[in-house]
Amino acid sequence: MSEAVVRAGVVVISHLLRQELEKKKYKKKRLWIRSWISRRDKYGASSTLLEKLKYEDSTAYRNILRMNGAQFDTLLEMIDDLIKKEDTQMRMAIPSKIKLEITLRYLASGDSVKSLRYLFRVPECTISVFLPDVLTAISQVLEPFIKVPATADEWEKIKDTFFHRWNFPMCCGAIDGKHVIIKRPPGSGSSFYNYKKTYSIILFAMVDGDYCFTYIDIGADGRASDSGIFRDSTLNIALENNTLGMPEKCVIIGDDAFPLKTNLLKPYSKTGLNNYEMIFNYRLSRARRVVKNAFGILVCYIPPQAVDQEDFNNGNIIPGEWREYVNNLETVNRMGSNNYKRAAEDVRSSLAKYFIEENPLPWQWEKVGITI
């Protein structure tokens, strides 16, 4: 290679390097905030769409945030002090109202942070920062609304509701577990892989006769069974140690996935059931429907007649509208053996006898195909 070629190459490279340095020197400074985001107060969903729907179309507003305007204002007042930030000389803080609206929309729809960014004109990095804080604040202020009854009077009220509304005596709660589908957590292997071939965590709960949650256990991995979650739960520990304060001989009810105990009843699972067992299964399933409805209400907009209704004249069930909206919760089937003691079977048998001999419903015989 000649000296002239080398010289020319050095000159060209030096010239290109000088151009790049000049570009960096006069490179346009990055914006502190994008111009379309800075117009949030004028064009963002909080100031336009939601503000109009709140006063013009309450149904649409509730469908977006899963609560009406009055409920939103109440919740905002409860958490405002926990989530608000002070304005600085550099920029204005995101208002608590917008933070709560974004969080509720995220919970109601599962929208991505990027989608919420364009709807509310809030940077996704900002949403990612305040979203956990708002969720924590909501859990903190609403915790008193989901609690295990602490007094005998509270248990008695639940027991009376199950007896008078669902015709099941001595019942203080219905339990069940539901899969909530998630994206596989990094490095989790098959821990959250369930029998439906999806990844999920499990929401285990106990519900009273009015569809209200009285106990929740959230976060068990998807491959766990209902019986295993119940066995390790603080609810079972309290039942075993008799520290719940439940009235004597009271029981909770569940499906076939749970073990049969003196304080936990489940349906007869064998074939060839006799009249006593058929009636018992019908009455228990009828009362246990409240926990199924409660899970359904969680994932849908609540219109009138949302929950299952019953025609007390003939016992026919009118399906609630929530069933039209449920699409991402899977029922947990039984996994493993649930052996029980004779005392537990005696409790179930005594109730089966009570239902068919002492407290029959006038239409229950035909309902389960029994003729007398």
Side-chain angles (χ1 to χ4, degrees):
M1 183 178 295
S2 66
E3 181 179 347
V5 173
V6 174
R7 186 187 301 276
V10 172
V11 172
V12 170
I13 294 175
S14 299
H15 177 68
L16 293 175
L17 288 175
R18 185 177 295 107
Q19 286 184 329
E20 289 296 323
L21 291 175
E22 290 295 328
K23 288 181 180 179
K24 290 183 179 181
K25 182 178 179 181
Y26 296 103
K27 186 177 180 180
K28 188 176 180 180
K29 294 183 179 180
R30 295 179 60 187
L31 295 174
W32 179 259
I33 183 172
R34 297 180 184 275
S35 57
W36 63 272
I37 290 180
S38 66
R39 295 191 289 271
R40 177 194 311 121
D41 293 341
K42 187 176 182 180
Y43 298 112
S46 178
S47 303
T48 55
L49 177 63
L50 291 178
E51 192 68 23
K52 292 183 181 297
L53 292 180
K54 185 175 182 179
Y55 300 103
E56 297 178 10
D57 191 341
S58 58
T59 301
Y61 182 89
R62 188 172 185 176
N63 192 33
I64 290 178
L65 300 182
R66 297 298 193 267
M67 60 176 61
N68 59 40
Q71 292 169 334
F72 177 86
D73 293 338
T74 300
L75 181 58
L76 178 60
E77 183 179 355
M78 296 173 69
I79 69 171
D80 184 51
D81 291 339
L82 299 176
I83 65 173
K84 69 179 180 181
K85 301 293 183 180
E86 297 295 333
D87 298 333
T88 67
Q89 294 182 351
M90 301 295 294
R91 57 181 173 178
M92 304 291 287
I94 304 294
S96 299
K97 177 175 177 286
I98 295 180
K99 289 182 179 180
L100 181 57
E101 288 171 340
I102 292 175
T103 302
L104 292 178
R105 182 59 187 166
Y106 174 79
L107 292 175
S109 65
D111 281 355
S112 66
V113 174
K114 183 171 292 186
S115 174
L116 296 171
R117 167 198 184 187
Y118 294 115
L119 178 63
F120 289 91
R121 299 189 180 225
V122 177
E124 51 188 302
C125 59
T126 304
I127 297 176
S128 300
V129 170
F130 71 69
L131 189 61
D133 295 335
V134 179
L135 292 171
T136 301
I138 292 174
S139 299
Q140 181 178 333
V141 300
L142 297 184
E143 185 176 4
F145 292 91
I146 301 180
K147 64 177 182 178
V148 178
T151 65
D153 290 340
E154 292 176 333
W155 286 114
E156 288 291 341
K157 183 178 179 180
I158 295 175
K159 185 182 71 172
D160 291 343
T161 301
F162 272 104
F163 180 69
H164 294 294
R165 180 175 297 175
W166 305 111
N167 303 115
F168 203 98
M170 305 304 297
C171 180
C172 287
I175 60 175
D176 199 10
K178 286 293 180 180
H179 285 257
V180 180
I181 298 175
I182 62 172
K183 184 178 180 181
R184 184 179 72 86
S188 63
S190 62
S191 296
F192 294 89
Y193 193 69
N194 60 46
Y195 71 103
K196 287 287 188 177
K197 299 181 180 181
T198 60
Y199 293 92
S200 63
I201 59 174
I202 298 176
L203 166 59
F204 172 74
M206 180 169 69
V207 177
D208 65 16
D210 291 315
Y211 308 101
C212 296
F213 289 88
T214 55
Y215 176 84
I216 56 174
D217 185 309
I218 306 171
D221 56 70
R223 68 178 180 180
S225 64
D226 272 7
S227 59
I229 297 173
F230 172 74
R231 181 192 62 233
D232 299 331
S233 68
T234 55
L235 176 64
N236 182 50
I237 295 174
L239 284 171
E240 294 290 342
N241 296 332
N242 197 27
T243 58
L244 280 179
M246 289 173 55
E248 187 178 358
K249 296 184 179 180
C250 264
V251 297
I252 57 179
I253 56 177
D255 60 21
D256 197 50
F258 296 99
L260 178 63
K261 298 185 177 183
T262 55
N263 51 16
L264 172 58
L265 299 183
K266 69 175 187 175
Y268 291 96
S269 57
K270 60 185 179 182
T271 58
L273 301 177
N274 59 38
N275 291 353
Y276 288 84
E277 294 166 342
M278 291 175 64
I279 294 296
F280 175 83
N281 280 2
Y282 170 71
R283 295 283 283 270
L284 184 140
S285 297
R286 183 171 177 267
R288 191 174 55 83
R289 190 168 60 243
V290 294
V291 69
K292 298 293 187 181
N293 278 325
F295 283 127
I297 292 169
L298 277 181
V299 294
C300 71
Y301 158 62
I302 310 177
Q305 307 300 320
V307 299
D308 291 353
Q309 304 292 322
E310 182 173 4
D311 187 340
F312 290 102
N313 294 323
N314 54 30
N316 291 331
I317 301 301
I318 304 172
E321 294 181 11
W322 67 268
R323 297 178 181 275
E324 301 176 9
Y325 299 86
V326 178
N327 55 15
N328 65 338
L329 296 181
E330 301 292 344
T331 302
V332 184
N333 291 333
R334 175 179 175 177
M335 299 177 64
S337 174
N338 286 324
N339 297 322
Y340 55 84
K341 297 181 179 180
R342 185 64 194 178
E345 176 57 32
D346 290 340
V347 174
R348 184 165 65 176
S349 298
S350 63
L351 271 177
K353 182 178 180 181
Y354 168 80
F355 289 144
I356 202 170
E357 294 183 357
E358 301 181 36
N359 185 245
L361 298 177
W363 37 262
Q364 70 181 32
W365 304 91
E366 182 180 353
K367 194 76 174 179
V368 294
I370 299 175
T371 58
I372 56 174

